[in-house]
Every structure is written in structure tokens, then in C-alpha cells.
Amino acid sequence: MGDVDGFYHIPQTAGARLGSQFSAGISTLEPGQSLSAAMGGSGKAQGKGLQVRVQGLDDTQEFYDLEAKAIGQMLLSAVFQRSNLIESDYFGLEFQNVQMNWVWLEPMKLIVKQVRRPMNTLFRLSVKFFPPDPGQLQEEFTRYLFVLQLKRDLMENRLPCTENTAALLISHLIQSEIGDYDDTADREFLKQNKLLPIQDRLQEKIMDLHRKHLGQNPAESDFQILEIARKLEMYGVRFHPAADREGSKINLSVAHMGLQVFQGNTKINTFNWSKIRKLSFKRKRFLIKLHPEVHGPHQDTLEFTMASRDHCKVFWKKCVEHHSFFRLFDQQQPKAKAVFFSRGSSFRYSGRTQKQLMEYMRDSGIRRTPYQSCLELFFIKIFSFAGSSLDSAQSPPFDSKSPLTLSPSTQMSALSLPGRTPSPLQSPILSEVGSPRLGEDEEGRRKRFPTDKAYFIAKEILTTERTYLKDLEVITVWFRSAVIKENAMPEGLMNLLFSNIDPIYEFHRGFLKDIEQRLALWEGRSNAHVKGEYQRIGDVMLSNMCALKEFTSYLQKHDEVLTELEKATKRLKKLETVYKEFELQKVCYLPLNTFLLKPIQRLMHYKLILERLCKHYAPHHRDHSDCKEALKVVAEMAAQLQSSLIRLENFQKLTELQRDLIGIENLTAPGRQFIREGCLYKLTKKGLQQRMFFLFSDMLLYTSKGVTATNQFKVHGQLPLHGMLVEESENEWSVPHCFTIYAAQRTIVVAASSKVEMTKWIEDLNMAIDMAKKSREKSEIVLDPGLCDRSNRSSDEVSLESEDDTHSSRSSLDKQTHHRANTTMHVCWHRNTSVSMSDRSLAVENQLSGYLLRKFKNSNGWQKLWVIFTNFCLFFYKTHQDDFPLASLPLLGYTVSTPAEADSIQKEYVFKLQFKSHVYFFRAESEYTFERWMEVIRSAASATGRLNLLVPREPLQVNGN
């Protein structure tokens, strides 16, 4: 008896348990067990905490901070809560153990007891339980994640099937990702995305099948994928190598119906749960005890030998969990612990059963949400909170006990975290300063809140100041914590960085409080005399701008700070690692050094806002003089720092590109200026190939998107501007929007996506060539000969070489291990457009933030979101207090307009964003804010700024009249 390592008696089937009491099964703790008890004590972390890395099904990676003695359920809950995954019980986190086998993270055990080095281990979200029918999955988001799992299985050869079936699955995947068939788009997608090991051989078959899916929406495509996959013999199968009694090699697997035995990829036997009486293992032997009626009394136990006891135990635990999840009505009650000795393992499945999960989805009133685009999924799944319709007559009264007043994500959050104080987000009334109540009708809002344009201009100061302070905290709080934790930054650099930015941060904290207090008084219901006294903002701005002037010396040092930080990251490997890993954190939603430019850029924002106030006020208005004086102060500071800002913005962009491009060194060489980046199609031996071009003051680079995990761009060619000539060549090559670039040793033919794009490129190229020609001093920048043409080709011979990967060095590929995928270059690549440095400068001046109402698709409801516009992108938050955005929408390529009559939107201040079939409606709270959002979004969407960044800008003028 002592050699029994683990055993599991198959409990009674669901039919015999109909009379048992039903448990909601929301918590994964054992009945009567507290979280602190499960952690083995008081629950307080001892020593250093844990930071673990989790890879999602879309292959993105995120970090989670946990207590040192955190159990697995804490990490699971954090992952599910962050992604707002409602049907979370189908999923789990797996990691590779010492034997390099994938095993599941156990919820009720300490993480440090399961993983030898948690902080160096990659956990990945995966489907744990594969239901036989995809119709059992209630949420479209859940089905989408299942499709991503099947996509991963196909690529990892874990879902073997015939070539015809593989091609059919991939064709539906393409339909789901890019829509209806288009020969060019299909070929480009298959070129950029490796979905099958044998993809090249099947490409034409895949495209032929994709042609047949015309009009099929993403939800239908996902369902077709699941329907096809579930009929495959290897659907959801995970092999566990073993040997039978004769020593023949076989593979064991567990599924919803029971245990399966395979020889190779062929299933040779299945043992349904109804046939199994007991599962156990003794050392390396895995035992299946069957009911006597199955094989008779003389052969009631089957024995299989596995590689080790650990392999047996891993498989046994999977069997226990699968049986509990698919066969039981509710969770098993844990047995009382033995007083003197324990026999066998006490492992039990601790989550909800499939029956409980399906009943919860049905009884809680959660509706199946229609499939949306990726951004729509973010909106619906992540942002959803208690949003009330603006039409209060159509909205039911708020009832905190009614599940119908809460979105699915809010319900799940509330149910999963018992005892937590209810979030203010669960109320439709958000009472922060300057935010109208969603439940009020239009007339009520107009009576309660000021309607003067000056109020909304002042409110813009408030909303953008909140965002600015959060941006400063990325450096002062989050980045500081990261470098201190790893002791990665030299003391001298620490002092230089934080002694400059900390005083600025503290000043703006006080400034924000002043603005909040003034806006609260402005909105107040006091008597007319007192209320009128505080309906102005000029005095607050004047006093604070005068105080800010004392910080000019700190702002002037930002040039040195940015330069020294860049030098240190190149010199110190540890700091470089911390820097790059921090940029992957959600809180760092922009390139890190971008946040160091914010203090100087903020001066430009103050200037523009004060100009609007001065223009709005009549000269005799009592607030006009204060606003004019404040404008004069801030304009003087901005003029003093303008040259530094131009230099810093250029340096920041060069350092960003240095990290994002493979195969180019010393991109930040003195004197080099960035001009434009964007997508063009280069003529090669294979035809027109998509390339990413980067124009600088001395050279032109062209790159292709890498196929590495870092998703970076790899340099293919480097052309000096000296002696370059550019001319249109549409007639010569019969390619629309085509032009030829004649360089010293190479000639290339490229095509733009539109006439406008071609004009932009030709203008900027000619401007840069002219500036390089007129330069009196010989450039000290030496081009990398490894990237120049090695042939003796004459300058008028067009280059049609086949571009392989020989130009970039292996060392460059090896050292680039981190990358942000939300930079403008990636947006330009996917939208076939370009962005110039002048466009970037214009976007900086047009930053905006505030609350907007977003219209639900196919519904009359509206949802309140905190929205930030910066860097050609909208970032979406639940509230302004959130530390990081939960979704973003790059605006390049979008058009902004007012709704058409066919849109059937009978509301004021609504604007419409559209890119191809992607349409979003947002509603502002006033005419002023509506016009401001239209203005800034139009500037980003069109990106038509034509400022010449190679010469100094005009001096700033004080416009106070």
C-alpha cells in the first residue's frame, strides 16, 4: 500500500447527483478555505515579490507583479481579469518544467513550489479543456481565443491533418483576418505571416479556397474553423509517451469523453469515463482500472509505463481535471486530511465544471456579444462598464443588484472579487470634476453645467493636465521603480535624471490641484456673486506660468538628460535590458524617451490654449488681461526652448529608429536629421515588393519587415543623397504613382499608394537633396559599405536584385530581443502611408484628452471612455485615473466627418471615424470639445503638414489680441 503515489476514484455520474445542492462555483478556493490560508499563513509577502511573464494566445507578452508567496490562482485571476475573459475555466497557464515538458500551473499551490525560477519562466495562456461542440462556447471572444489556439497548434504541428484540410483552415483564418479575397492582399498576408510549416507549397490552394468565402464575416469564419477542427482526430489532443505491457510505444491522451490511446497519429482505443472505475499511478506505471463488465473479471486493470514518476503524475492530474470539468455537475468536496498519515495525492480540480460555467453564463444574463473587429473586441471586452444610455427615458433605473445594468466584464469582476469595495465605475454617475452625469438629459446638463466657451477651454487645460501628470509619472514613479529594483542605473545618471524631472512633477501636481479647485467653483451652485467671481481661469494660469518660469533651467537640461541616458543604455547592458523591458510594460504606452520631451512640449500646449482664450475674450473682459499676461510669459519660455525642442524631437526619433531597425549602426550621428518614414513598393525581380523607407538629411534607407519574433524592420539598402536624382516614371513602367530614384551606385524604381503620397515623397526627397547639395561642410557621416551596392552597375541601370537577408549581420539579429509594435512605422506599413517629421511636430501641438461617449454597434447605447490623442493615435481608458490604456486606435488613414443621414444618429456633437469597413461614432459634450476633437483628429488622419524641419522655425509671436 505504501507504493501508491496517487489514485482517483471516479465519482458518481451527473445523473446520480441531480439532487445535490448547486454551487455557483465562482471561487476556485476549496469550500471553507480562505485565500490567506491557501497561501500558508497570514498572506503577507515575505521578502522580494515576483514578477512573472505571461504570453497571450496572440503571442504578446505582459508582466505581472505578485507577492512572493502567491499561489497559482492569483496569477490566473490577474491574467483573466486583465483580459476580461469571462469563460475563463476553459483556459489555463502552462510552462515548461525541468524536463522541458509543458505542464499546467496549479491554482492552489504556491508558484515558487511549482516553478524553480518563476521570474525567468515564460507562462503562456492556452486552452486547457476542448469542448466537443464549439456551440457550447457562449462568448464570441472565447471562440476567437480558441481559433488562436488552433492557429498555434497548426504552426507547432500539434494538429496534424491532410493538406486539403490544412489549406481550408488557413483560408478561413485569412478571411477572418483580412476579409474577402484579394490576390495582392492574400499574397502579402501569407508572405508576412507563417501559419503552416508547409505554407509555401499550399499557397495557391489556400488562395483558391479563400476566394470561395466571399461575404463571410469574422465570426462566421471563426465558427467554421472550430467546426472543421473539432472533427479532426487530433483536435485538442496532447500526447504523453508511454509503452504498453508488451513494450510497444504508444501515446496516451485525455479528452472530454475519456482516455485515448494512439500509435503514431492513429487512435487505436478509447476508454470512456463511464468504463473507468479508478485511475492511479505507482512510480512509472500508470494504471486504469475498468468496471468488470468492460473486460471481464480477469482483465480489469490496464497498465502503461511512462518515462518517470513525474510524467505519470502530470498525466494523472490532467485526467483528474478533465473528468471533473466535463463529467461532474459541481466541484468535488475535499476530503478531510488524515491526522496521522496520508496515502496518495490529495490533488483535486478546483475550478468550475463545464456545467456550472454554462449555467452561470445562462443565469447571469450575459448575452452573446456579436463579433467585432480587434478594436471592437477591446471596446466590448475590456472597456465595458456600467454605461447608461443618454436617453434616460429608454434606460432602466439603475439597480446595483441587477445583472442587466452591468456589462459582462463588470459582472465578472464583481463576482470574482468578493469583499472588494464596489467600484465607482459600477455607477452611471461619475462625479469627478468637469464630467457631466451620464444619466442626465440634455436640458438637465445645460442647467447644471456652464455653457460658456471659456469654461470648456479651461476644462481642456484640466483634462490635458491630468494626462500630462500621468505621463510624468511614467518616469518619476514607474521607470524609477524599475531601475532601482534592478540597481541598473549609475548614481550620477540617477541624480541627473530625477533631480531635473522631480521638481517639475511636484510643481504640476500643485498646478493640477489649483485647476481642479477652480473648475469645481466654476461649476458650483453658490450665489451668483460668488459663482461669477470664480468663472475665470486667467489668474490661475498667470500665477502658475510665472512660477513655472523658475523651472526653465531644469527644462534646458533635458537635452543633456536624453543624451546621457542614451549613452548609458549603449554602454551598460543591464540598463539596456531594463530600459527595453520597461518599454514593453503597458504603462509605457509610448517610446520611453518620448516622455522626457513632454515638459517642453507642454509649454507649446499652454501657449495654444491661452491663445484661444485671448481670442475668445473681448478686450474689456476681466479675464482677458490675466490670460494675455500669462500668454506672454509662456510664449517667452517656449521661444527660449524651441531650438532645444526641435533638436530633442529629432534625437528622440533617431534613437527610436536605432532600436527598431536591424542592420544599421550609428543612426544618431551628429548632424543627421529625420525627414520622413513610410511604405513604398519597390520593383524587384519578384515584382513590386512592399518596403519601408526612411529619409534622412544625408541618406535614404529601405527595409523589409522581419520574420523574427521581434517583428522589427531589417535594412536592405542605404542610398546617399549626394548626387541623387528623383523623377516620375509612371509612363516608362506603366505602374501608377511610380517614380525612379537615381543614386550614385544604384537606381531603384518605387511606387506609392496614391498620387498624394508620391508627391510628398518626391517633394521631401528633392528638398533633402537640395539641402545636402548646398551644405558647405562635407558630411562626417560615413555610410556603411556593407549596405551599399557591391556591384559595378552603372547609375542608370535599374536595380532588380532579389533581396535576401545577407545584408544584415547575425550579431544584429541576435542582440535585438525587444521591440514595441505600436510605433508609427508599423502603422505606416499596414496602412500604406507615410509620416514626416513636420507631421509629427504638428501632432505634438494637437494633443488632446477628455471623456467621450462611444456608440455601441447595433445599439442605441453609449459608453463613456477617457480618451487621449497623441502620436497619431487614440488611447482608450476606463477613467482618467487608470495607469495604462487598454486599447488604442491609430488614426493614419482614417477619415473624420459628421454622421450621414443613413447612420440614423439623432444626437448633437457626434463625429464619425472610418477606415474602409471600420466605423466608430463618438460624442463630445459640447460644441467646443466637438470642434477640438474634429480638429486634432483631422490633423492626424490627413497628416499633411509641410513644415520644413531642416531650417529653424519662425520665432514665436505673442498673439494676445
Side-chain angles (χ1 to χ4, degrees), residues 607-624:
K607 175 180 176 295
L608 293 171
I609 293 174
L610 285 166
E611 284 177 344
R612 283 196 291 274
L613 274 170
C614 290
K615 185 177 180 180
H616 167 69
Y617 285 134
H620 60 271
H621 192 282
R622 60 174 182 162
D623 206 24
H624 181 268

Side-chain angles (χ1 to χ4, degrees), residues 353-414:
T353 67
Q354 187 186 34
K355 179 69 174 178
Q356 286 178 312
L357 178 58
M358 294 178 69
E359 289 184 352
Y360 165 71
M361 296 294 293
R362 183 193 65 219
D363 296 339
S364 62
I366 297 177
R367 301 174 183 175
R368 297 187 182 186
T369 54
Y371 187 91
Q372 312 288 344
S373 67
C374 292
L375 180 68
E376 290 283 340
L377 282 173
F378 271 119
F379 278 133
I380 302 300
K381 298 292 171 187
I382 298 178
F383 287 115
S384 294
F385 55 91
S388 300
S389 170
L390 289 178
D391 297 316
S392 57
Q394 297 177 2
S395 301
F398 179 74
D399 179 3
S400 61
K401 297 181 181 179
S402 171
L404 296 178
T405 60
L406 297 178
S407 71
S409 59
T410 308
Q411 293 180 49
M412 193 62 186
S413 177

Side-chain angles (χ1 to χ4, degrees), residues 14 16 85 679 868:
L85 181 54
C679 176
I868 294 175

Side-chain angles (χ1 to χ4, degrees), residues 14 29 52 84 216 285 294 303 318 362 401 405 454 475 499 556 584 594 601 623 628 663 680 739 747 890 913:
L29 295 173
V52 297
N84 280 60
Q216 188 170 283
R285 292 179 297 151
V294 177
E303 181 176 312
K318 287 186 178 181
R362 183 193 65 219
K401 297 181 181 179
T405 60
I475 300 291
S499 65
Q556 289 172 334
L584 298 177
T594 302
Q601 292 171 344
D623 206 24
K628 189 173 182 179
L680 293 171
F739 58 98
T747 299
L913 287 176

Side-chain angles (χ1 to χ4, degrees), residues 573-745:
K573 187 66 176 177
K574 191 174 184 179
L575 178 59
E576 181 187 27
T577 301
V578 172
Y579 189 108
K580 291 179 178 179
E581 288 182 348
F582 181 76
E583 280 200 321
L584 298 177
Q585 304 272 349
K586 277 191 173 182
V587 71
C588 188
Y589 67 101
L590 300 172
L592 178 58
N593 54 12
T594 302
F595 295 99
L596 289 172
L597 274 60
K598 294 290 184 179
I600 302 180
Q601 292 171 344
R602 186 60 176 156
L603 293 177
M604 310 302 171
H605 303 159
Y606 292 146
K607 175 180 176 295
L608 293 171
I609 293 174
L610 285 166
E611 284 177 344
R612 283 196 291 274
L613 274 170
C614 290
K615 185 177 180 180
H616 167 69
Y617 285 134
H620 60 271
H621 192 282
R622 60 174 182 162
D623 206 24
H624 181 268
S625 59
D626 284 342
C627 289
K628 189 173 182 179
E629 285 300 313
L631 174 59
K632 187 178 295 184
V633 173
V634 76
E636 181 181 327
M637 296 171 61
Q640 189 176 353
L641 294 166
Q642 185 175 10
S643 60
S644 294
L645 178 59
I646 294 174
R647 187 169 57 254
L648 287 172
E649 288 178 342
N650 180 71
F651 184 75
Q652 183 276 323
K653 181 59 181 178
L654 292 178
T655 55
E656 177 187 324
L657 291 177
Q658 183 71 77
R659 292 186 176 90
D660 292 345
L661 299 181
I662 298 175
I664 183 71
E665 301 294 337
N666 198 28
L667 198 57
T668 57
R672 178 171 290 147
Q673 297 184 54
F674 168 77
I675 300 175
R676 178 174 290 277
E677 64 182 342
C679 176
L680 293 171
Y681 287 85
K682 180 179 178 293
L683 187 62
T684 69
K685 289 181 179 179
K686 296 180 180 179
L688 289 173
Q689 300 287 318
Q690 187 177 8
R691 295 288 180 260
M692 192 70 184
F693 280 73
F694 301 89
L695 175 61
F696 303 92
S697 58
D698 63 309
M699 65 177 177
L700 176 68
L701 295 180
Y702 58 92
T703 68
S704 65
K705 194 173 183 181
V707 294
T708 61
T710 58
N711 208 25
Q712 293 168 286
F713 287 85
K714 182 175 54 181
V715 176
H716 280 292
Q718 179 177 352
L719 307 178
L721 295 188
H722 181 70
M724 182 179 287
L725 179 66
V726 182
E727 62 180 30
E728 294 187 36
S729 54
E730 289 182 285
N731 295 333
E732 180 180 353
W733 295 95
S734 300
V735 176
H737 323 308
C738 174
F739 58 98
T740 304
I741 301 173
Y742 300 94
Q745 294 181 337

Side-chain angles (χ1 to χ4, degrees), residues 105 133 191 203 264 294 321 711 850:
L105 180 70
D133 180 8
K191 178 184 175 183
Q203 179 164 320
V294 177
E321 291 185 313
N711 208 25

